[in-house]
Amino acid sequence: MLDEEGFKELPPSEFMQVADSTWLVLNVVSNGREPPGCQATGVTKIARSVIAPLAEHHVSVLMLSTYQTDFILVRERDLPVVIHTLAGEFDIYREESGECVPVTCDDMSNGFLKPKPAASPTLHPVQSPQTRFCVLTVAPDTLPAIATMLIDVLFYSHSPPWEAGAGSQDFDSITFFSFSLIEGYISIVMDAETQKRYPLSFPSDLLLTSSTGELWRMVRIGGQPLGFDECGIVAQIAEPLAAADISAYYISTFNFDHALVPEEGIAEVIQLLQQRQESSR
């Protein structure tokens, strides 16, 4: 995922597949302000108030959790539906030249069509590898120092790729690395073994982890690539976890969705999701 200006700088390539929609970013904050560097409230905290209503109105979303906060991406063409859906619960603002300008339903009424009720979403299979992950951040000025490590992990890592069948419900490990740079804040997700291989890249005085230093386990959604048109995929995971007050760290990718949950809660998470699938049959 990258902004339009960054995309324009990419050279054309026959090997690059691009989603056919432009996406806008929503950020849910408390009292209109998000303190810089604070811990994220987690996807489950906004599931019922944002994700579930959008799914009910047939709005497809992507999620991107970072170390600092959570972002919800919606297609630009769906913005009128998004505004009408959320205006009853939220004060909505758009950013113009660095300033937050209030948005009302009247502003977005032109061309708005009341959406048809969404069909019941497909409950996709979920898979949970044994891999343990770290969610971390580093100070922005350390980026040049860790650039070589990032390139090595992204392109030259010798971690074995996951080769289980697409429909497999059980696999031992998964190769997953996520790096995001948003408004100067860096957020990294990597498996614990990879972090151990690069101790010099993350000296203790520069590594900012959670106060408990907890590790995370992954739940991956989808046995086959999910695409971008289906609605309710994020809600499939977020809603039951919200009901159980379990925090989550959610990353949508081009093919699959991934939720990270605290390691000590993975058994409960798997049980909750299995119960949801069984009840829907």
Side-chain angles (χ1 to χ4, degrees):
M1 303 178 189
L2 72 167
D3 59 70
E4 285 185 304
E5 293 304 314
F7 179 75
K8 292 176 182 177
E9 296 179 5
L10 294 177
S13 172
E14 60 180 305
F15 303 106
M16 182 169 61
Q17 185 177 355
V18 182
D20 62 357
S21 299
T22 300
W23 298 74
L24 302 177
V25 179
L26 307 179
N27 186 16
V28 182
V29 298
S30 300
N31 299 322
R33 181 173 299 177
E34 185 77 17
C38 72
Q39 281 284 356
T41 57
V43 173
T44 57
K45 301 298 183 183
I46 57 177
R48 291 173 175 165
S49 55
V50 177
I51 297 171
L54 293 181
E56 292 171 359
H57 286 79
H58 215 266
V59 175
S60 178
V61 305
L62 300 176
M63 280 295 310
L64 178 62
S65 296
T66 70
Y67 189 90
Q68 291 78 22
T69 188
D70 295 304
F71 298 96
I72 305 168
L73 285 80
V74 299
R75 283 179 291 202
E76 187 173 31
R77 65 173 181 262
D78 290 333
L79 187 59
V81 180
V82 172
I83 298 298
H84 278 259
T85 301
L86 301 181
E89 296 292 333
F90 294 92
D91 294 324
I92 302 175
Y93 300 84
R94 66 173 179 267
E95 186 176 301
E96 291 185 359
S97 302
E99 299 292 330
C100 291
V101 180
V103 175
T104 66
C105 287
D106 293 338
D107 296 333
M108 304 302 300
S109 59
N110 185 29
F112 173 75
L113 296 175
K114 187 174 181 179
K116 298 179 180 179
S120 299
T122 301
L123 287 182
H124 293 276
V126 295
Q127 304 152 327
S128 181
Q130 297 299 314
T131 311
R132 302 156 78 217
F133 292 92
C134 306
V135 177
L136 53 97
T137 185
V138 295
D141 58 5
T142 65
L143 184 57
I146 66 173
T148 300
M149 180 279 297
L150 294 174
I151 293 173
D152 188 49
V153 173
L154 283 170
F155 301 109
Y156 303 105
S157 174
H158 298 292
S159 299
W162 173 54
E163 295 178 349
S168 174
Q169 294 288 321
D170 184 28
F171 54 103
D172 291 333
S173 65
I174 187 172
T175 301
F176 186 92
F177 180 85
S178 172
F179 171 86
S180 62
L181 175 60
I182 302 176
E183 295 185 331
Y185 292 104
I186 296 172
S187 184
I188 299 173
V189 176
M190 66 169 61
D191 64 86
E193 294 303 314
T194 296
Q195 184 194 355
K196 291 178 182 178
R197 292 205 305 269
Y198 297 92
L200 298 181
S201 296
F202 299 105
S204 59
D205 60 335
L206 295 179
L207 179 61
L208 307 175
T209 59
S210 65
S211 58
T212 60
E214 63 187 347
L215 294 177
W216 302 70
R217 289 279 301 278
M218 176 180 288
V219 175
R220 196 183 81 167
I221 300 91
Q224 299 290 340
L226 299 170
F228 299 97
D229 295 323
E230 189 174 338
C231 306
I233 296 174
V234 176
Q236 173 184 343
I237 300 296
E239 285 189 281
L241 298 191
D245 198 26
I246 298 174
S247 60
Y249 189 99
Y250 203 104
I251 300 177
S252 299
T253 67
F254 199 92
N255 291 317
F256 299 102
D257 282 14
H258 308 80
L260 294 163
V261 298
E263 183 179 27
E264 66 272 13
I266 187 64
E268 181 183 1
V269 168
I270 293 175
Q271 182 180 14
L272 285 171
L273 298 179
Q274 288 177 341
Q275 289 175 346
R276 181 182 176 101
Q277 287 192 325
E278 291 172 358
S279 64
S280 66
R281 292 173 182 171

